[in-house]
Amino acid sequence: MESDIFTLRKPEATDGFALNKLVERCSPLDPNSIYCNLLQCSHFADTGIAAEDEDGDLVGFISGYRPPERPDTLFVWQVAVDSRCRGKKLAQKMLLALTERLAPEGIQYIETTITPGNVASETLFARVFAALSAPVERSVLFSRDEHFDGLHDDEVLYRAGPFKLTTPNS
Ligand SMILES: CC(C)(COP(=O)(O)OP(=O)(O)OC[C@H]1O[C@@H](n2cnc3c(N)ncnc32)[C@H](O)[C@@H]1OP(=O)(O)O)[C@@H](O)C(=O)NCCC(=O)NCCS
């Protein structure tokens, strides 16, 4: 039986290759180049989080960045959890842990895009936004016809916030 014990930590460049393979296994995510994953795990490590199992294997990952013109915002690029570790709130824990790590640095908003019909993703973000008591606005960021030449569904932008995390001493 799969263990429920995962270690959450900041990504390192040596996670890049394993991340590439994890994303490949996590349909419907778009796979990226290994080079892109290496950059996510190095230049963008501060805005990402990795989860490893008891054997040290990479089983979960959130990649993200701060849009240069909105430094108070974490843009979540991809969320991936290995199929054998799903249904254990791992994605939810990773996203909340990442948010908690970044809140002292001024992050007050989370943005992401979701393809309509990705119920797992819609539910995950709805739970996290509710936990943060964050109001949510939705709009189409990239449209099927205008940006994808009809080859990819719309990407709907969810922008949640502002939220304020309270720490035990605040
Ligand atoms: C989406 C994904 C990251 C969820 O990972 P997970 O660790 O299983 O998610 P969690 O256990 O934290 O679940 C969070 C919430 O979403 C719900 N959820 C998760 N998967 C679901 C599914 N397939 N259908 C409906 N609800 C789902 C959970 O029930 C939970 O809600 P709850 O608190 O009401 O029970 C994982 O399924 C995955 O990697 N999918 C493929 C890639 C993908 O679609 N990524 C998201 C787009 S960036």
Short mmCIF file of all heavy atoms in Angstrom, two decimals, residues 81-129:
data_model
loop_
_atom_site.label_atom_id
_atom_site.label_comp_id
_atom_site.label_asym_id
_atom_site.label_seq_id
_atom_site.Cartn_x
_atom_site.Cartn_y
_atom_site.Cartn_z
N VAL A 81 0.63 15.58 -9.72
CA VAL A 81 0.75 14.57 -8.67
C VAL A 81 0.73 13.21 -9.35
O VAL A 81 -0.17 12.92 -10.15
CB VAL A 81 -0.39 14.69 -7.63
CG1 VAL A 81 -0.41 13.49 -6.69
CG2 VAL A 81 -0.25 15.98 -6.81
N ASP A 82 1.73 12.40 -9.04
CA ASP A 82 1.80 11.06 -9.62
C ASP A 82 0.50 10.30 -9.34
O ASP A 82 -0.04 10.38 -8.22
CB ASP A 82 2.99 10.31 -8.99
CG ASP A 82 3.35 9.07 -9.79
OD1 ASP A 82 2.58 8.10 -9.72
OD2 ASP A 82 4.38 9.09 -10.46
N SER A 83 0.02 9.55 -10.32
CA SER A 83 -1.31 8.91 -10.18
C SER A 83 -1.39 8.03 -8.93
O SER A 83 -2.43 7.94 -8.30
CB SER A 83 -1.64 8.11 -11.44
OG SER A 83 -0.66 7.14 -11.66
N ARG A 84 -0.27 7.42 -8.53
CA ARG A 84 -0.33 6.51 -7.37
C ARG A 84 -0.43 7.28 -6.05
O ARG A 84 -0.66 6.67 -5.00
CB ARG A 84 0.87 5.56 -7.37
CG ARG A 84 2.21 6.21 -7.17
CD ARG A 84 3.36 5.23 -7.44
NE ARG A 84 4.62 5.92 -7.63
CZ ARG A 84 5.45 6.27 -6.67
NH1 ARG A 84 5.16 5.99 -5.42
NH2 ARG A 84 6.58 6.88 -6.94
N CYS A 85 -0.28 8.59 -6.09
CA CYS A 85 -0.33 9.39 -4.85
C CYS A 85 -1.54 10.33 -4.82
O CYS A 85 -1.62 11.20 -3.95
CB CYS A 85 0.95 10.20 -4.71
SG CYS A 85 2.42 9.20 -4.67
N ARG A 86 -2.45 10.18 -5.76
CA ARG A 86 -3.60 11.10 -5.81
C ARG A 86 -4.65 10.74 -4.77
O ARG A 86 -4.67 9.64 -4.25
CB ARG A 86 -4.22 11.09 -7.22
CG ARG A 86 -3.31 11.73 -8.22
CD ARG A 86 -3.88 11.76 -9.63
NE ARG A 86 -2.81 12.15 -10.55
CZ ARG A 86 -2.83 12.02 -11.85
NH1 ARG A 86 -3.92 11.52 -12.45
NH2 ARG A 86 -1.80 12.40 -12.59
N GLY A 87 -5.53 11.72 -4.50
CA GLY A 87 -6.63 11.48 -3.58
C GLY A 87 -6.22 11.54 -2.12
O GLY A 87 -6.95 11.10 -1.24
N LYS A 88 -5.02 12.07 -1.85
CA LYS A 88 -4.52 12.16 -0.46
C LYS A 88 -4.30 13.61 -0.05
O LYS A 88 -3.54 13.87 0.88
CB LYS A 88 -3.20 11.39 -0.34
CG LYS A 88 -3.35 9.92 -0.72
CD LYS A 88 -2.01 9.19 -0.67
CE LYS A 88 -2.23 7.73 -1.03
NZ LYS A 88 -1.08 6.89 -0.77
N LYS A 89 -4.92 14.52 -0.80
CA LYS A 89 -4.79 15.96 -0.53
C LYS A 89 -3.37 16.47 -0.72
O LYS A 89 -2.99 17.50 -0.16
CB LYS A 89 -5.26 16.33 0.89
CG LYS A 89 -6.56 15.71 1.30
CD LYS A 89 -7.72 16.58 0.95
CE LYS A 89 -9.00 16.02 1.54
NZ LYS A 89 -10.13 16.15 0.66
N LEU A 90 -2.56 15.73 -1.47
CA LEU A 90 -1.18 16.17 -1.65
C LEU A 90 -1.11 17.49 -2.41
O LEU A 90 -0.37 18.41 -2.03
CB LEU A 90 -0.35 15.08 -2.35
CG LEU A 90 1.10 15.43 -2.64
CD1 LEU A 90 1.85 15.84 -1.36
CD2 LEU A 90 1.83 14.25 -3.31
N ALA A 91 -1.91 17.61 -3.48
CA ALA A 91 -1.89 18.85 -4.27
C ALA A 91 -2.32 20.02 -3.39
O ALA A 91 -1.72 21.10 -3.42
CB ALA A 91 -2.80 18.71 -5.48
N GLN A 92 -3.37 19.80 -2.62
CA GLN A 92 -3.88 20.85 -1.74
C GLN A 92 -2.81 21.26 -0.73
O GLN A 92 -2.57 22.45 -0.50
CB GLN A 92 -5.10 20.30 -1.02
CG GLN A 92 -6.09 21.32 -0.58
CD GLN A 92 -7.42 20.67 -0.20
OE1 GLN A 92 -7.94 19.81 -0.90
NE2 GLN A 92 -7.97 21.07 0.92
N LYS A 93 -2.14 20.28 -0.13
CA LYS A 93 -1.11 20.59 0.87
C LYS A 93 0.06 21.34 0.22
O LYS A 93 0.61 22.27 0.81
CB LYS A 93 -0.59 19.30 1.51
CG LYS A 93 -1.55 18.71 2.53
CD LYS A 93 -1.03 17.40 3.08
CE LYS A 93 -2.12 16.67 3.84
NZ LYS A 93 -1.91 15.22 3.92
N MET A 94 0.45 20.92 -0.98
CA MET A 94 1.57 21.61 -1.65
C MET A 94 1.21 23.07 -1.92
O MET A 94 2.03 23.96 -1.67
CB MET A 94 1.90 20.91 -2.99
CG MET A 94 2.60 19.57 -2.85
SD MET A 94 3.34 19.05 -4.44
CE MET A 94 1.89 18.86 -5.47
N LEU A 95 0.00 23.30 -2.43
CA LEU A 95 -0.37 24.67 -2.79
C LEU A 95 -0.48 25.56 -1.56
O LEU A 95 -0.03 26.72 -1.57
CB LEU A 95 -1.68 24.66 -3.60
CG LEU A 95 -2.11 25.99 -4.23
CD1 LEU A 95 -0.97 26.65 -5.00
CD2 LEU A 95 -3.30 25.75 -5.16
N LEU A 96 -1.03 25.02 -0.49
CA LEU A 96 -1.13 25.83 0.74
C LEU A 96 0.25 26.06 1.35
O LEU A 96 0.55 27.16 1.84
CB LEU A 96 -2.06 25.14 1.75
CG LEU A 96 -3.57 25.29 1.40
CD1 LEU A 96 -4.42 24.39 2.27
CD2 LEU A 96 -4.02 26.75 1.54
N ALA A 97 1.12 25.05 1.30
CA ALA A 97 2.47 25.22 1.85
C ALA A 97 3.26 26.25 1.04
O ALA A 97 3.98 27.08 1.61
CB ALA A 97 3.21 23.87 1.85
N LEU A 98 3.10 26.21 -0.27
CA LEU A 98 3.79 27.19 -1.12
C LEU A 98 3.26 28.60 -0.83
O LEU A 98 4.04 29.56 -0.72
CB LEU A 98 3.58 26.82 -2.60
CG LEU A 98 4.20 27.74 -3.63
CD1 LEU A 98 5.71 27.85 -3.46
CD2 LEU A 98 3.86 27.24 -5.05
N THR A 99 1.96 28.72 -0.69
CA THR A 99 1.36 30.02 -0.38
C THR A 99 1.86 30.54 0.96
O THR A 99 2.21 31.72 1.10
CB THR A 99 -0.18 29.88 -0.36
OG1 THR A 99 -0.60 29.32 -1.60
CG2 THR A 99 -0.85 31.23 -0.18
N GLU A 100 1.93 29.65 1.94
CA GLU A 100 2.42 30.07 3.27
C GLU A 100 3.87 30.51 3.21
O GLU A 100 4.28 31.46 3.87
CB GLU A 100 2.27 28.91 4.27
CG GLU A 100 0.88 28.83 4.86
CD GLU A 100 0.65 27.55 5.63
OE1 GLU A 100 1.64 26.97 6.14
OE2 GLU A 100 -0.51 27.11 5.70
N ARG A 101 4.67 29.79 2.40
CA ARG A 101 6.09 30.18 2.28
C ARG A 101 6.23 31.56 1.65
O ARG A 101 7.13 32.32 1.99
CB ARG A 101 6.82 29.13 1.44
CG ARG A 101 8.32 29.24 1.58
CD ARG A 101 9.14 28.74 0.40
NE ARG A 101 8.87 27.42 -0.07
CZ ARG A 101 8.97 27.10 -1.38
NH1 ARG A 101 9.30 28.03 -2.27
NH2 ARG A 101 8.74 25.88 -1.77
N LEU A 102 5.33 31.90 0.68
CA LEU A 102 5.48 33.14 -0.07
C LEU A 102 4.75 34.33 0.54
O LEU A 102 5.07 35.48 0.22
CB LEU A 102 4.98 32.92 -1.51
CG LEU A 102 5.88 32.01 -2.35
CD1 LEU A 102 5.21 31.66 -3.66
CD2 LEU A 102 7.22 32.68 -2.61
N ALA A 103 3.80 34.07 1.42
CA ALA A 103 3.00 35.18 1.98
C ALA A 103 3.88 36.23 2.67
O ALA A 103 3.67 37.43 2.46
CB ALA A 103 1.94 34.64 2.93
N PRO A 104 4.89 35.83 3.46
CA PRO A 104 5.72 36.86 4.10
C PRO A 104 6.49 37.70 3.09
O PRO A 104 6.99 38.77 3.42
CB PRO A 104 6.70 36.04 4.97
CG PRO A 104 6.05 34.72 5.15
CD PRO A 104 5.25 34.48 3.91
N GLU A 105 6.58 37.23 1.85
CA GLU A 105 7.27 38.02 0.81
C GLU A 105 6.30 38.90 0.03
O GLU A 105 6.65 39.45 -1.01
CB GLU A 105 8.02 37.08 -0.12
CG GLU A 105 9.15 36.34 0.59
CD GLU A 105 9.83 35.34 -0.30
OE1 GLU A 105 9.85 35.53 -1.52
OE2 GLU A 105 10.34 34.33 0.25
N GLY A 106 5.04 38.97 0.50
CA GLY A 106 4.10 39.90 -0.11
C GLY A 106 3.12 39.30 -1.11
O GLY A 106 2.39 40.04 -1.78
N ILE A 107 3.12 37.99 -1.23
CA ILE A 107 2.15 37.37 -2.15
C ILE A 107 0.76 37.46 -1.53
O ILE A 107 0.53 36.98 -0.41
CB ILE A 107 2.52 35.90 -2.43
CG1 ILE A 107 3.81 35.80 -3.23
CG2 ILE A 107 1.37 35.18 -3.15
CD1 ILE A 107 3.73 36.24 -4.66
N GLN A 108 -0.16 38.07 -2.25
CA GLN A 108 -1.55 38.21 -1.76
C GLN A 108 -2.57 37.67 -2.75
O GLN A 108 -3.77 37.66 -2.46
CB GLN A 108 -1.88 39.68 -1.53
CG GLN A 108 -1.06 40.36 -0.48
CD GLN A 108 -1.60 41.78 -0.29
OE1 GLN A 108 -2.68 41.99 0.26
NE2 GLN A 108 -0.85 42.75 -0.78
N TYR A 109 -2.10 37.28 -3.93
CA TYR A 109 -3.01 36.77 -4.96
C TYR A 109 -2.43 35.48 -5.54
O TYR A 109 -1.20 35.33 -5.64
CB TYR A 109 -3.17 37.77 -6.11
CG TYR A 109 -3.86 39.05 -5.73
CD1 TYR A 109 -3.14 40.11 -5.18
CD2 TYR A 109 -5.23 39.20 -5.93
CE1 TYR A 109 -3.77 41.29 -4.82
CE2 TYR A 109 -5.87 40.39 -5.57
CZ TYR A 109 -5.13 41.43 -5.02
OH TYR A 109 -5.75 42.59 -4.67
N ILE A 110 -3.31 34.59 -5.96
CA ILE A 110 -2.92 33.42 -6.74
C ILE A 110 -3.65 33.51 -8.08
O ILE A 110 -4.85 33.80 -8.11
CB ILE A 110 -3.32 32.10 -6.05
CG1 ILE A 110 -2.55 31.92 -4.75
CG2 ILE A 110 -3.07 30.91 -6.98
CD1 ILE A 110 -2.98 30.70 -3.95
N GLU A 111 -2.89 33.28 -9.15
CA GLU A 111 -3.53 33.17 -10.46
C GLU A 111 -3.19 31.80 -11.04
O GLU A 111 -2.11 31.25 -10.77
CB GLU A 111 -2.99 34.24 -11.43
CG GLU A 111 -3.41 35.65 -11.08
CD GLU A 111 -2.92 36.65 -12.13
OE1 GLU A 111 -2.37 36.23 -13.17
OE2 GLU A 111 -3.06 37.86 -11.86
N THR A 112 -4.10 31.29 -11.84
CA THR A 112 -3.81 30.08 -12.60
C THR A 112 -4.75 30.06 -13.78
O THR A 112 -5.72 30.81 -13.82
CB THR A 112 -3.97 28.80 -11.75
OG1 THR A 112 -3.33 27.71 -12.42
CG2 THR A 112 -5.45 28.45 -11.53
N THR A 113 -4.46 29.21 -14.75
CA THR A 113 -5.45 29.00 -15.80
C THR A 113 -5.88 27.55 -15.75
O THR A 113 -5.09 26.65 -15.44
CB THR A 113 -4.94 29.34 -17.22
OG1 THR A 113 -3.91 28.45 -17.60
CG2 THR A 113 -4.45 30.78 -17.29
N ILE A 114 -7.17 27.34 -16.05
CA ILE A 114 -7.74 26.00 -16.05
C ILE A 114 -8.50 25.81 -17.35
O ILE A 114 -9.25 26.70 -17.78
CB ILE A 114 -8.68 25.80 -14.83
CG1 ILE A 114 -7.92 26.02 -13.52
CG2 ILE A 114 -9.32 24.40 -14.88
CD1 ILE A 114 -8.78 25.90 -12.26
N THR A 115 -8.32 24.66 -17.96
CA THR A 115 -9.10 24.30 -19.14
C THR A 115 -10.47 23.85 -18.67
O THR A 115 -10.55 22.97 -17.79
CB THR A 115 -8.41 23.14 -19.90
OG1 THR A 115 -7.08 23.54 -20.20
CG2 THR A 115 -9.14 22.82 -21.17
N PRO A 116 -11.56 24.45 -19.19
CA PRO A 116 -12.89 24.05 -18.73
C PRO A 116 -13.07 22.53 -18.83
O PRO A 116 -12.67 21.91 -19.82
CB PRO A 116 -13.83 24.77 -19.71
CG PRO A 116 -13.04 25.95 -20.19
CD PRO A 116 -11.61 25.50 -20.22
N GLY A 117 -13.60 21.93 -17.77
CA GLY A 117 -13.81 20.48 -17.77
C GLY A 117 -12.75 19.73 -17.01
O GLY A 117 -12.90 18.53 -16.76
N ASN A 118 -11.65 20.41 -16.63
CA ASN A 118 -10.64 19.75 -15.78
C ASN A 118 -11.15 19.84 -14.33
O ASN A 118 -10.78 20.72 -13.57
CB ASN A 118 -9.26 20.40 -15.94
CG ASN A 118 -8.17 19.60 -15.20
OD1 ASN A 118 -8.46 18.83 -14.28
ND2 ASN A 118 -6.93 19.78 -15.62
N VAL A 119 -12.04 18.87 -14.01
CA VAL A 119 -12.74 18.93 -12.72
C VAL A 119 -11.75 18.83 -11.56
O VAL A 119 -11.92 19.49 -10.53
CB VAL A 119 -13.79 17.79 -12.64
CG1 VAL A 119 -14.51 17.82 -11.29
CG2 VAL A 119 -14.79 17.94 -13.76
N ALA A 120 -10.73 18.00 -11.70
CA ALA A 120 -9.75 17.84 -10.61
C ALA A 120 -9.09 19.18 -10.31
O ALA A 120 -8.96 19.59 -9.15
CB ALA A 120 -8.71 16.80 -11.00
N SER A 121 -8.70 19.88 -11.36
CA SER A 121 -8.04 21.16 -11.17
C SER A 121 -9.03 22.20 -10.62
O SER A 121 -8.69 22.96 -9.69
CB SER A 121 -7.48 21.62 -12.53
OG SER A 121 -6.61 22.67 -12.36
N GLU A 122 -10.24 22.23 -11.17
CA GLU A 122 -11.24 23.20 -10.68
C GLU A 122 -11.52 22.97 -9.19
O GLU A 122 -11.59 23.92 -8.41
CB GLU A 122 -12.55 23.04 -11.48
CG GLU A 122 -12.45 23.56 -12.90
CD GLU A 122 -13.64 23.16 -13.77
OE1 GLU A 122 -14.44 22.29 -13.38
OE2 GLU A 122 -13.75 23.72 -14.88
N THR A 123 -11.63 21.70 -8.79
CA THR A 123 -11.95 21.40 -7.39
C THR A 123 -10.76 21.75 -6.49
O THR A 123 -10.93 22.36 -5.43
CB THR A 123 -12.31 19.91 -7.22
OG1 THR A 123 -13.29 19.58 -8.19
CG2 THR A 123 -12.84 19.63 -5.83
N LEU A 124 -9.57 21.37 -6.93
CA LEU A 124 -8.37 21.69 -6.13
C LEU A 124 -8.29 23.19 -5.84
O LEU A 124 -8.14 23.61 -4.69
CB LEU A 124 -7.12 21.22 -6.90
CG LEU A 124 -5.80 21.81 -6.43
CD1 LEU A 124 -5.47 21.32 -5.02
CD2 LEU A 124 -4.68 21.45 -7.40
N PHE A 125 -8.38 24.01 -6.88
CA PHE A 125 -8.24 25.46 -6.66
C PHE A 125 -9.41 26.01 -5.87
O PHE A 125 -9.23 26.90 -5.02
CB PHE A 125 -8.02 26.18 -8.00
CG PHE A 125 -6.61 26.05 -8.49
CD1 PHE A 125 -6.26 25.08 -9.42
CD2 PHE A 125 -5.61 26.87 -7.99
CE1 PHE A 125 -4.94 24.93 -9.84
CE2 PHE A 125 -4.29 26.73 -8.41
CZ PHE A 125 -3.95 25.75 -9.33
N ALA A 126 -10.62 25.50 -6.10
CA ALA A 126 -11.78 25.98 -5.33
C ALA A 126 -11.55 25.73 -3.84
O ALA A 126 -11.84 26.58 -2.99
CB ALA A 126 -13.05 25.28 -5.81
N ARG A 127 -11.01 24.55 -3.49
CA ARG A 127 -10.76 24.23 -2.07
C ARG A 127 -9.71 25.17 -1.48
O ARG A 127 -9.85 25.65 -0.36
CB ARG A 127 -10.28 22.78 -1.93
CG ARG A 127 -11.26 21.74 -2.32
CD ARG A 127 -12.47 21.67 -1.39
NE ARG A 127 -13.44 20.72 -1.93
CZ ARG A 127 -14.45 21.04 -2.73
NH1 ARG A 127 -14.66 22.30 -3.08
NH2 ARG A 127 -15.26 20.11 -3.19
N VAL A 128 -8.65 25.39 -2.24
CA VAL A 128 -7.57 26.25 -1.71
C VAL A 128 -8.04 27.69 -1.60
O VAL A 128 -7.79 28.36 -0.58
CB VAL A 128 -6.30 26.12 -2.59
CG1 VAL A 128 -5.26 27.17 -2.20
CG2 VAL A 128 -5.72 24.72 -2.46
N PHE A 129 -8.76 28.19 -2.59
CA PHE A 129 -9.25 29.58 -2.51
C PHE A 129 -10.21 29.73 -1.33
O PHE A 129 -10.19 30.75 -0.65
CB PHE A 129 -9.95 29.98 -3.81
CG PHE A 129 -9.04 29.99 -5.03
CD1 PHE A 129 -9.56 29.93 -6.32
CD2 PHE A 129 -7.66 30.08 -4.88
CE1 PHE A 129 -8.72 29.95 -7.43
CE2 PHE A 129 -6.81 30.11 -5.99
CZ PHE A 129 -7.35 30.03 -7.26
#
